[in-house]
Amino acid sequence: MVSSNHENAAGSLAFPKRLWGKIVGFALRLKNLGKEDPRRIIHCFKVGLALTFVSLFYYFKPLYDGFGLDAMWAILTVVVVFEFSVGATLGKGLNRMLATLTAGALGIGAHRLATLSGETGEPILIAIFVFIIAGIVTFLRFIPQLKARYDYGLMVFILTFCLISVSGYRDEEVIRMGFERLSTIVLGSCAAVFVCTFICPVWIGVDLHNHIATNIEKLGNFLEGFEDGYFKISEEGQPINKSSSLQGYKSVLTSSSKEEIMANLAKWEPCHGKFRFRHPWNEYLKVGSVTRQCAFKIECLNHYLTSEIQSPPEVRSIIQGECTVISSECGKALKELASGVRKMTKSSAAEPHITNSKAAAENLKAVIRSSLSKHCDYLEILQAGAVASLLFEVVKCTEEIAGAVHKLASLAHFKNAKPRVTPETQELPSQGAVNPVSGIDGAHHVITINPSQSLRESENSSPPVLAPRMEV
């Protein structure tokens, strides 16, 4: 009896602890969600501000008398139109306003024609109009180009047309209802677009731009770390698997749909910052496409990092030098391209790395023909040959990415990058010249010594000094 009481007491205490643990865990998830992107917190305040603004239709009697219960459409419009980015909000707002205007006018016309046919023919004509219009507009939603940008507007068009045409009000009541509904929807859409655009705006075009640059950089990070992951051997004779730190490229494999959505939304945005009107957003999709093709090649390379069956160390050592150069140079080239995209500058810094990788690929082919072909056990060299073949494909993909990025830079009017001054290219000040004396046999030279600029500046009071001439 006593033990059962203790069990009941323990059970009653365990439930509040579990509940409190779930509450704390949920709060921590919310905290992490806000830390990942603080713009989400700002977006919540922006939505609240827009809803508070349109709620003034209910708070002030003159506004409420003007619109009545139709003022609720302004609040509903803000709720359904306000999105995280400017492009998404502007696209939804324009879709809703244009769809309401056209569907409302068409619905009023259909209702007018139906009422002229009398009480008997009115429901029949309205049913025919609804069937035809709804069917045609629904079919238009299957067209990919329309679905990508106008799917929400087509859906609102069907809804508005049915509400207006099927209503049983008199003609003047239908016109008044349509006008008030259109006015409140326009006001709600404009409020959402205004708050989203002018208060801490989130430009989806900027996100797409940075997303493409980050994806290219992820591929570069993998290729630069490929040497350590494949060619450094552990004591058991297996590659040291560091692939856990090189898995960033995996997000590139599934980024196609995300990039298409972002590009479609970016087309709605006005010019802002360095992004001009009619910015070539489709070129970002082309860059993303060739980047994914390279990511698939890298995915195959990654399988050889984690494979349990490996080529012998002596076989890998044969191709290590050239493979290291290829992966390192391609990684550097991709990082240079990513930096150019992110800074919106035209740069040829990636070209030397691409040239070096192509030269290393030719050398690797010669090594394969001269060294690997001499091995009798073809099973041992099979994996090494596959790795080399994939690296050849990576070189080709890197060159294609560079071409796509250069085309994007040209169409988007990227600025020219400032030339870099390296110790190899830096010019030293002229200190003198040694010239041979013509017409004199033997090792005779004339040495012309020019006074340094600093010496002349420090001795401004002294008379000009002629350069002495000395024969050796």
Side-chain angles (χ1 to χ4, degrees), residues 368-407:
I368 293 174
R369 283 192 290 264
S370 61
S371 300
L372 288 184
S373 59
K374 296 178 181 179
H375 283 262
C376 297
D377 192 351
Y378 290 103
L379 293 178
E380 292 183 353
I381 66 173
L382 183 61
Q383 190 193 65
V387 170
S389 177
L390 287 171
L391 287 176
F392 297 152
E393 294 293 329
V394 168
V395 173
K396 182 179 178 181
C397 289
T398 303
E399 194 172 9
E400 292 177 354
I401 293 174
V405 169
H406 292 332
K407 185 177 180 182

Side-chain angles (χ1 to χ4, degrees), residues 253-268:
L253 301 173
T254 57
S255 61
S256 176
S257 59
K258 179 180 179 181
E259 291 171 4
E260 290 180 359
I261 293 174
M262 295 173 75
N264 287 326
L265 295 179
K267 294 175 182 178
W268 289 105

Side-chain angles (χ1 to χ4, degrees), residues 204-206 208-209 262-264 266-269 272 275-276 278-286 408:
I204 194 68
V206 177
L208 174 62
H209 180 87
M262 295 173 75
N264 287 326
K267 294 175 182 178
W268 289 105
E269 294 181 343
H272 56 279
F275 301 90
R276 304 179 180 182
R278 298 185 66 83
H279 194 74
W281 299 113
N282 289 332
E283 294 300 320
Y284 287 90
L285 298 181
K286 296 178 181 178
L408 170 63

Side-chain angles (χ1 to χ4, degrees), residues 84-105:
F84 184 69
S85 65
V86 175
T89 303
L90 189 58
K92 267 194 168 183
L94 292 177
N95 269 282
R96 188 172 181 85
M97 287 187 289
L98 293 176
T100 303
L101 175 62
T102 55

Side-chain angles (χ1 to χ4, degrees), residues 447-466:
I447 301 175
T448 304
I449 303 174
N450 295 324
S452 63
Q453 181 69 22
S454 60
L455 182 60
R456 290 200 302 266
E457 292 178 354
S458 63
E459 297 179 356
N460 290 330
S461 60
S462 60
V465 180
L466 298 177

Side-chain angles (χ1 to χ4, degrees), residues 153-267:
L154 295 174
M155 183 176 61
V156 171
F157 181 92
I158 296 174
L159 176 63
T160 304
F161 177 79
C162 293
L163 289 177
I164 297 296
S165 60
V166 177
S167 62
Y169 296 106
R170 296 187 301 273
D171 289 346
E172 57 273 12
E173 292 293 328
V174 171
I175 295 175
R176 184 191 61 80
M177 180 185 66
F179 175 76
E180 291 181 354
R181 186 167 300 177
L182 176 63
S183 301
T184 53
I185 288 175
V186 169
L187 289 174
S189 299
C190 291
V193 170
F194 181 84
V195 173
C196 186
T197 305
F198 295 100
I199 300 179
C200 300
V202 177
W203 304 104
I204 194 68
V206 177
D207 290 347
L208 174 62
H209 180 87
N210 295 329
H211 171 79
I212 294 296
T214 301
N215 283 351
I216 298 175
E217 189 175 14
K218 289 177 180 178
L219 303 188
N221 291 334
F222 178 90
L223 291 174
E224 286 191 337
F226 179 73
E227 177 193 3
D228 294 339
Y230 184 72
F231 290 107
K232 289 192 176 181
I233 310 302
S234 64
E235 296 179 356
E236 293 79 11
Q238 296 292 322
I240 300 177
N241 187 4
K242 296 184 179 180
S243 60
S244 58
S245 61
L246 304 174
Q247 300 302 310
Y249 76 93
K250 287 187 177 294
S251 61
V252 183
L253 301 173
T254 57
S255 61
S256 176
S257 59
K258 179 180 179 181
E259 291 171 4
E260 290 180 359
I261 293 174
M262 295 173 75
N264 287 326
L265 295 179
K267 294 175 182 178

